[in-house]
Amino acid sequence: AQSVSQHNHHVILSEAASLELGCNYSYGGTVNLFWYVQYPGQHLQLLLKYFSGDPLVKGIKGFEAEFIKSKFSFNLRKPSVQWSDTAEYFCAVRRDDKIIFGKGTRLHILP
Amino acid sequence: GAVVSQHPSRVICKSGTSVKIECRSLDFQATTMFWYRQFPKKSLMLMATSNEGSKATYEQGVEKDKFLINHASLTLSTLTVTSAHPEDSSFYICSATPPGRYQPQHFGDGTRLSIL
């Protein structure tokens, strides 16, 4: 079945640590890729998106993601996390106008 | 920027009541809107695609008669949870994509539905 997989369900890091959250998808063909963030008690916000072009995408708040087509991956990275990055992160894939989300990764940053 | 407004943000009602949730695109027209459901500690699940002027397209396992969707105009889609029961308690989120080639979906703030 076509799916979006986020490998880490819960990640705990100290401030200033580097972050990488994995995302793999199983769709063939052309896809659009997204990372969304949901801060506690807030709605979903777009972190970054990939449609075409440079596979290394820069987003807001210092986040970036790299699309590796051969690996069907779109991992999210941040060199140095902050306490305010504590949130839930969702990878999403759009194909044929439908968006399918991964199960989310809950990130907890220790001050 | 593109804004999607969802109302109400929270509903608490008795079992057997029908509840209507509105989703509006405030500054763009959306021929298609999407309804998601988010279970606690789980991901967003696409429930249905709302199509302006035609029937909604439901995902497998979603009851059409339970979750009625109406997309009467290019800026408004409604989701009605009919005869709601406690198991329908959840967080419902709508989204829409502004026109243009490289537009992501924009999400409403969500509606937390609690059925007593």
Side-chain angles (χ1 to χ4, degrees):
Chain A
Q2 296 174 328
S3 66
V4 179
S5 300
Q6 288 183 241
H7 316 301
N8 316 101
H9 298 297
H10 196 182
V11 174
I12 301 173
L13 294 172
S14 298
E15 275 195 308
S18 65
L19 169 72
E20 180 159 2
L21 301 182
C23 174
N24 285 87
Y25 63 95
S26 61
Y27 299 93
T30 303
V31 294
N32 305 142
L33 300 160
F34 309 85
W35 275 96
Y36 288 91
V37 60
Q38 190 170 23
Y39 296 102
Q42 295 188 29
H43 63 277
L44 280 172
Q45 299 174 45
L46 180 67
L47 266 183
L48 47 79
K49 62 185 188 285
Y50 172 79
F51 283 77
S52 65
D54 189 344
L56 185 60
V57 180
K58 303 277 186 193
I60 61 170
K61 304 187 181 187
F63 286 92
E64 65 177 33
E66 185 174 11
F67 170 50
I68 303 179
K69 191 174 182 180
S70 61
K71 295 184 177 180
F72 295 87
S73 70
F74 190 56
N75 292 356
L76 180 71
R77 299 195 293 249
K78 184 169 182 177
S80 177
V81 294
Q82 300 171 305
W83 178 79
S84 57
D85 293 325
T86 294
E88 189 151 16
Y89 293 80
F90 293 94
C91 177
V93 176
R94 180 161 74 189
R95 189 170 186 272
D96 298 334
D97 218 25
K98 274 187 197 176
I99 280 196
I100 305 298
F101 287 82
K103 291 190 173 179
T105 297
R106 192 171 293 275
L107 176 64
H108 189 77
I109 307 299
L110 302 173
Chain B
V3 176
V4 174
S5 172
Q6 195 171 333
H7 178 80
S9 58
R10 185 171 183 113
V11 179
I12 302 173
C13 57
K14 293 181 180 179
S15 186
T17 308
S18 292
V19 178
K20 182 186 282 189
I21 303 170
E22 292 185 347
C23 180
R24 294 181 186 272
S25 55
L26 295 187
D27 52 0
F28 64 95
Q29 294 183 330
T31 54
T32 304
M33 291 184 176
F34 301 91
W35 287 97
Y36 295 86
R37 184 172 177 177
Q38 187 175 26
F39 293 93
K41 299 184 180 180
K42 292 194 175 180
S43 180
L44 287 163
M45 182 192 77
L46 178 64
M47 297 174 66
T49 303
S50 171
N51 304 299
E52 190 269 335
S54 65
K55 290 182 180 180
T57 307
Y58 290 82
E59 295 301 302
Q60 193 172 12
V62 178
E63 298 176 62
K64 300 178 184 182
D65 296 332
K66 174 68 148 177
F67 299 100
L68 298 179
I69 291 173
N70 185 297
H71 196 149
S73 77
L74 287 170
T75 58
L76 173 64
S77 174
T78 60
L79 168 68
T80 302
V81 184
T82 62
S83 187
H85 291 283
E87 58 266 28
D88 299 322
S89 298
S90 193
F91 194 63
Y92 294 87
I93 304 175
C94 72
S95 73
T97 304
R101 190 176 177 190
Y102 297 114
Q103 292 288 342
Q105 284 197 359
H106 292 265
F107 290 86
D109 286 352
T111 298
R112 183 159 301 284
L113 176 62
S114 300
I115 307 299
L116 305 177

